[in-house]
Amino acid sequence: MQTTYKTKRAERDGPLAAFVRTPVLGVLAVLIVIFVASALLSPYFLTGYNMSVVARGLAFVALVTIGQASLMLLGELDLSLGTIGGLAGIVTGMLMVNGGIDPWISILLALCLGAALGFINGFLTAALRLHSLVLTIGTAGIYGGAILVLTRGVAITGIPPEIQFLGRGTIWGVPMPFVIMLVVLALAVFLTLKTPFGRYMYAIGSNRDAARMLGIKVDRIRVLVFVMAGALSALAGVLLVARLGTAQPSIGNAWVLGPIAAAVIGGVATTGGVGTIIGAIFGAAIIAIIENIIVLFGVSPYWQGIVSGAIVVIAISFDAISRRWLRKEN
C-alpha cells in the first residue's frame, strides 16, 4: 500500500519534484547539462589541457568542500578553513626552505598544524557552546594575521622539485591532486554513509538534543569533524604550494565562499542532517566548470567573485524554497 502511495505521488509530482526530493540526482543532472553546454559553447573546453586545468582546480576546492560539507551535516560552519589551508601552506614552505627540514616531515607537520587549528575551533565551539559561524570569523582573522606576520606579504620560493610532483605530476594522465582528492572522497563517503560515526553525524545534525539523549557523544564527534576539516584544508594548502612551486600568502583566500556554495548546491542543508558528500563534490564541479568557462571566454577574473556570490545566493534561495515546499507536501 505504501509503495502504491509513493508511486502515485511520484506520478503526480513529476520529475521536477523527484529532483527536489533527491538533491544528488538534481545536481548531477545540472552538472551534466552545464558540462555539455560548455563543450558546445567552447571548442577548447574538452581539450586534454583544459580538462587537466579543471581537474586540478577542482581538487583543491573539493578537499576543503569535503571538510566544510561534513561540518554542515552537523549543523556547523567553519569560515577559517581557507586561512587554515593558507597557513599550513606557508608553514610547509618555511620548514622546507628556511628551516631545512625534510620536505615530507614538513608536510606531515603542516597537516598536524591544520588538524590542531581545527581542534581549537571544535574545542571552543563545544566547550564554550559558541556558534561556530561567529567563532570561526574570529579565528579566521587570527590565522590570516599569522600568515602576514610570518611572511610579511612575501611569497616563499624554492620548494623542492620532489614535492612539486604532488601538485604538478600525473598518474596515467590524471593530475596528482585530483587522484588524491578521489581517494579522500572515497574515504569520506564511506565514513559518512557506511559507519556508525557517519550515522551519528546525521543524527546530531538533525536533532542535537535527541542525539545526546540517545547516548551519542555529541561534543566529541563535533571536535573530531572540526579536526578532519582542518587537516583536509591543510592538505589542500600543501598541494597548492606544490602546484605553484611557491608558498603564496594569498593561498586559501578563495576557499571561504566556494566550499559553502558547493555544499549547498549539492544538497547539503546549512541547518544540518541533510545531504551527502558526493552531492557537495558535484556542486564543486559545477562551480569549477562555470569559472573555467568564464576564463575561456576571456571574461575578467574579477567577475568570478560576482559569479561565485550569485551562485551562493541562488543555491541558498533554492534550498530554502525546496525545503519549504517539501514541508508543505509532507
Side-chain angles (χ1 to χ4, degrees):
M1 180 68 74
Q2 189 177 8
T3 303
T4 304
Y5 169 73
K6 288 182 178 179
T7 303
K8 288 182 177 178
R9 191 173 70 172
E11 292 174 349
R12 182 196 66 194
D13 293 342
L16 180 60
F19 283 147
V20 172
R21 288 197 172 91
T22 52
V24 172
L25 290 180
V27 73
L28 178 59
V30 172
L31 174 60
I32 293 173
V33 169
I34 290 177
F35 187 90
V36 173
S38 301
L40 295 175
L41 289 172
S42 172
Y44 304 105
F45 180 73
L46 284 181
T47 60
Y49 174 76
N50 190 59
M51 285 292 98
S52 175
V53 170
V54 173
R56 288 182 199 275
L58 169 63
F60 305 123
V61 178
L63 287 171
V64 185
T65 298
I66 291 171
Q68 191 68 270
S70 299
L71 287 167
M72 289 170 65
L73 290 177
L74 294 172
E76 308 285 356
L77 277 174
D78 190 339
L79 298 184
S80 70
L81 292 182
T83 50
I84 289 177
L87 185 55
I90 290 297
V91 168
T92 305
M94 293 185 71
L95 292 175
M96 292 179 189
V97 179
N98 301 339
I101 298 176
D102 181 86
W104 299 105
I105 296 178
S106 300
I107 290 176
L108 180 60
L109 292 175
L111 297 182
C112 291
L113 173 65
L117 298 179
F119 174 81
I120 292 173
N121 288 342
F123 176 78
L124 291 178
T125 299
L128 303 179
R129 298 288 184 268
L130 296 174
H131 195 294
S132 57
L133 176 65
V134 177
L135 172 75
T136 54
I137 290 175
T139 55
I142 296 173
Y143 305 155
I147 292 174
L148 295 178
V149 169
L150 290 173
T151 64
R152 299 181 184 275
V154 179
I156 299 171
T157 59
I159 302 300
E162 64 267 30
I163 298 305
Q164 294 181 22
F165 173 77
L166 291 175
R168 300 178 180 179
T170 60
I171 295 181
W172 297 315
V174 182
M176 272 297 293
F178 193 75
V179 173
I180 295 172
M181 184 274 288
L182 289 179
V183 173
V184 173
L185 174 62
L187 293 174
V189 170
F190 177 79
L191 177 71
T192 52
L193 297 182
K194 298 295 183 182
T195 67
F197 187 87
R199 289 192 288 275
Y200 295 160
M201 289 172 60
Y202 281 96
I204 294 170
S206 298
N207 191 320
R208 190 169 300 171
D209 293 333
R212 278 200 176 90
M213 293 176 67
L214 291 172
I216 298 174
K217 304 294 184 184
V218 173
D219 291 339
R220 183 181 301 175
I221 291 175
R222 288 166 70 192
V223 172
L224 287 174
V225 177
F226 270 101
V227 169
M228 182 183 75
L232 289 177
S233 298
L235 177 60
V238 169
L239 292 177
L240 190 51
V241 167
R243 166 65 174 156
L244 298 173
T246 62
Q248 300 279 353
S250 60
I251 287 176
N253 288 353
W255 296 342
V256 179
L257 282 180
I260 296 174
V264 173
I265 292 171
V268 181
T270 54
T271 51
V274 176
T276 61
I277 299 297
I278 192 69
I281 297 304
F282 288 158
I286 289 174
I287 295 175
I289 292 174
I290 290 175
E291 291 181 347
N292 180 253
I293 280 295
I294 290 176
V295 174
L296 290 180
F297 276 94
V299 179
S300 168
Y302 299 116
W303 280 91
Q304 291 185 13
I306 296 175
V307 172
S308 298
I311 290 173
V312 173
V313 172
I314 293 171
I316 293 177
S317 301
F318 180 78
D319 179 65
I321 292 170
S322 62
R323 292 182 197 290
R324 195 179 305 154
W325 181 83
L326 286 174
R327 281 198 297 269
K328 188 183 296 182
E329 284 292 300
N330 295 328

